[in-house]
Amino acid sequence: MFDALPPRRGMLPFRDSLLMAAEKKPHLQPPALSWSSIPLELAGLVLSLLPAHADRARFAAVCPQWRAAARQQQRLHPPLPLIALPDGTFYSLPYPTPFRFPGCGFAGYQSACGSWLVFPRDDGCFLVDPFSRETVTLPPLSSVRLRPPNAVAKWSYEHGTKLADPYLTWMHIKDSDELHISKLVLCSTNLVVALVGIGYTSQILMCQPGALSWSVRAYDRCKGFEDMSFYQGKLYALTKEENLLVVNISEDHSTGDPQVSRIGQVIKGDPWYSIAFTNNAMLCKKLYLVESCGAMLMVRRTIFCRVPHDGGAVAGPSAFEVFKADFEHSGWVKVSTVGADQVLFLGRRCSRSLPFSRYGVPGDHILFLDDDEENRTEYGYAEENTSYGTYAMGSGRYRSVHPDISWKRGDEMRLAAWLFPHD
């Protein structure tokens, strides 16, 4: 499955030791040894020590017995995620060699969610799991059930300019050629939620898998949503102002489809916006929402930019601040660590917190992608290549481009995403 990656070493000395032990008994006929003869318990122990998904795939490909052992392991820690690139190539961390899944191309996705890649088409949206090849069908963005059904866009004119009245709603953006899915969350087998919009503004749409249409509150104001997460049975959205909103969901009595019944604010943020200084410097920010160890975290990424006299802002180093949602007191509480065992994988399309210290991967780190959306960034980059960056919470040490894993920047490569296998 991962033929493009280098073969895994480290198992051969174990086999050699078995052969040497057999040679010390000349009066006995040495048994014929094979990988399949290793007890399943030992095979399971070996599997539990492999952090890379590529290695686990190789393990299962050794023989039918090992494949069965892999399927029987119910308490495995999650493997390291993959990096998916829009041209259909993948990286299985920590290996620096890109690969493609055999027999199927996965180029052209627009978003990612867990182990799913999201492919919008004119006839519908499709979620595809490259690991299991499972597919889920969603409605096309052109098929949206309005609430109320007779909603229309309202406009006003000021000095000859056409303006949304009283503010921008779904009715004003629904026919735009730039309409796209910026975030999709598969909340359950019966609920899919998406942030759909243009540029910095979007609206919340939801549906059931296999449904014929999405549902939207047509007159709700479009917002600068930064991220969205399904946490402890509730849907939360984070705005550019660092406000945390809870989205209450009800059922349409006529169709049985999910719909937004109310959006309320549970935490009011204390935000700062992009700041330009007189010394040709500027600060910009990104926000992420991620669940970690039972808590809801907001991560604020500060990008230090320089502004040349002859051009736009150029991104430099990043720093990160992490805040825990205090629902009892309706506020964000700053924390100094994400946990000695935890690594945060941050991306515009999908973020996760995973434990990795048992694999020798240092905890209390943040790994992040420069996955800016088109028409949604205030800066450019000086480097021709990009990769995933790392940030150590304790020391504040920052590294922007991995020395062995990188790809060329470009509009078509903006949508790089973390992909998290099931096992």
Side-chain angles (χ1 to χ4, degrees):
M1 183 177 180
F2 296 90
D3 293 338
L5 294 175
R8 186 68 172 173
R9 297 182 175 89
M11 295 296 295
L12 188 57
F14 174 78
R15 185 173 184 271
D16 289 344
S17 66
L18 292 178
L19 292 172
M20 291 175 63
E23 290 173 357
K24 293 180 179 179
K25 299 180 179 180
H27 301 293
L28 298 177
Q29 182 68 27
L33 296 177
S34 69
W35 291 117
S36 61
S37 65
I38 295 179
L40 292 183
E41 294 80 4
L42 182 56
L45 178 60
V46 173
L47 181 63
S48 68
L49 298 176
L50 300 178
H53 176 77
D55 287 339
R56 295 187 183 186
R58 292 191 187 97
F59 177 96
V62 170
C63 62
Q65 289 81 359
W66 282 31
R67 190 174 304 114
R71 291 173 179 171
Q72 292 174 10
Q73 300 302 312
Q74 302 296 327
R75 297 183 179 180
L76 282 178
H77 284 260
L80 288 164
L82 278 66
I83 297 177
L85 300 183
D87 63 357
T89 59
F90 298 81
Y91 286 93
S92 180
L93 300 183
Y95 294 114
T97 305
F99 70 93
R100 294 178 182 269
F101 283 89
C104 188
F106 292 102
Y109 67 82
Q110 193 174 92
S111 189
C113 173
S115 64
W116 301 92
L117 295 173
V118 183
F119 295 88
R121 299 286 188 267
D122 292 339
D123 57 341
C125 295
F126 302 92
L127 306 183
V128 181
D129 186 324
F131 308 102
S132 66
R133 306 300 172 94
E134 184 180 357
T135 301
V136 174
T137 303
L138 302 177
L141 294 181
S142 59
S143 179
V144 179
R145 181 168 49 86
L146 304 176
R147 300 177 49 236
N150 60 345
V152 295
K154 299 177 182 180
W155 302 92
S156 63
Y157 291 86
E158 184 175 329
H159 306 297
T161 302
K162 188 177 182 181
L163 302 173
D165 186 18
Y167 43 70
L168 196 68
T169 69
W170 172 257
M171 303 308 299
H172 298 103
I173 67 173
K174 67 182 183 68
D175 296 322
S176 172
D177 293 336
E178 298 178 2
L179 197 69
H180 68 283
I181 297 174
S182 60
K183 178 83 176 188
L184 186 140
V185 179
L186 185 61
C187 303
S188 69
T189 56
N190 297 316
L191 178 63
V192 177
V193 184
L195 292 178
V196 181
I198 56 175
Y200 283 93
T201 187
S202 57
Q203 192 53 273
I204 299 174
L205 277 64
M206 58 181 55
C207 71
Q208 292 190 71
L212 298 178
S213 63
W214 298 87
S215 171
V216 68
R217 285 172 39 131
Y219 288 141
D220 277 5
R221 186 172 192 164
C222 292
K223 293 182 173 63
F225 291 111
E226 288 286 309
D227 208 346
M228 184 170 59
S229 178
F230 193 67
Y231 170 71
Q232 295 186 355
K234 294 183 179 181
L235 181 66
Y236 293 91
L238 182 66
T239 70
K240 190 175 182 65
E241 295 77 25
E242 301 185 5
N243 298 328
L244 185 65
L245 310 179
V246 61
V247 182
N248 294 327
I249 301 170
S250 62
E251 183 179 296
D252 186 301
H253 297 298
S254 60
T255 65
D257 291 330
Q259 60 184 17
V260 175
S261 60
R262 181 179 177 275
I263 300 178
Q265 181 175 288
V266 292
I267 294 179
K268 180 175 176 55
D270 184 19
W272 62 264
Y273 300 93
S274 297
I275 305 170
F277 299 99
T278 56
N279 60 344
N280 297 330
M282 184 172 75
L283 298 181
C284 297
K285 76 169 182 178
K286 284 185 179 181
L287 298 175
Y288 306 88
L289 202 58
V290 58
E291 180 179 355
S292 178
C293 299
M296 174 68 75
L297 302 180
M298 176 184 73
V299 183
R300 180 196 292 157
R301 176 184 172 188
T302 302
I303 302 104
F304 300 90
C305 303
R306 56 182 177 86
V307 186
H309 294 289
D310 57 349
V314 178
S318 290
F320 291 81
E321 297 171 280
V322 180
F323 302 83
K324 179 181 177 180
D326 183 349
F327 292 100
E328 182 178 354
H329 299 95
S330 301
W332 295 111
V333 179
K334 189 173 181 178
V335 297
S336 60
T337 177
V338 298
D341 187 46
Q342 297 295 308
V343 177
L344 298 188
F345 295 87
L346 300 182
R348 180 64 69 187
R349 272 142 285 281
C350 190
S351 301
R352 290 279 175 90
S353 173
L354 298 173
F356 282 120
S357 65
R358 67 175 284 119
Y359 298 130
V361 178
D364 208 21
H365 272 66
I366 294 174
L367 275 63
F368 59 96
L369 295 169
D370 284 326
D371 50 353
D372 308 289
E373 291 185 21
E374 189 175 6
N375 301 321
R376 195 178 176 180
T377 183
E378 302 167 277
Y379 48 83
Y381 296 92
E383 300 89 355
E384 182 181 9
N385 288 352
T386 184
S387 179
Y388 70 91
T390 61
Y391 182 83
M393 286 293 293
S395 65
R397 183 181 178 186
Y398 162 87
R399 183 171 66 180
S400 61
V401 178
H402 192 279
D404 300 320
I405 299 177
S406 65
W407 54 92
K408 289 188 179 298
R409 296 186 189 274
D411 290 342
E412 70 281 0
M413 299 298 278
R414 288 178 179 269
L415 303 180
W418 298 112
L419 205 60
F420 300 90
H422 289 298
D423 52 358

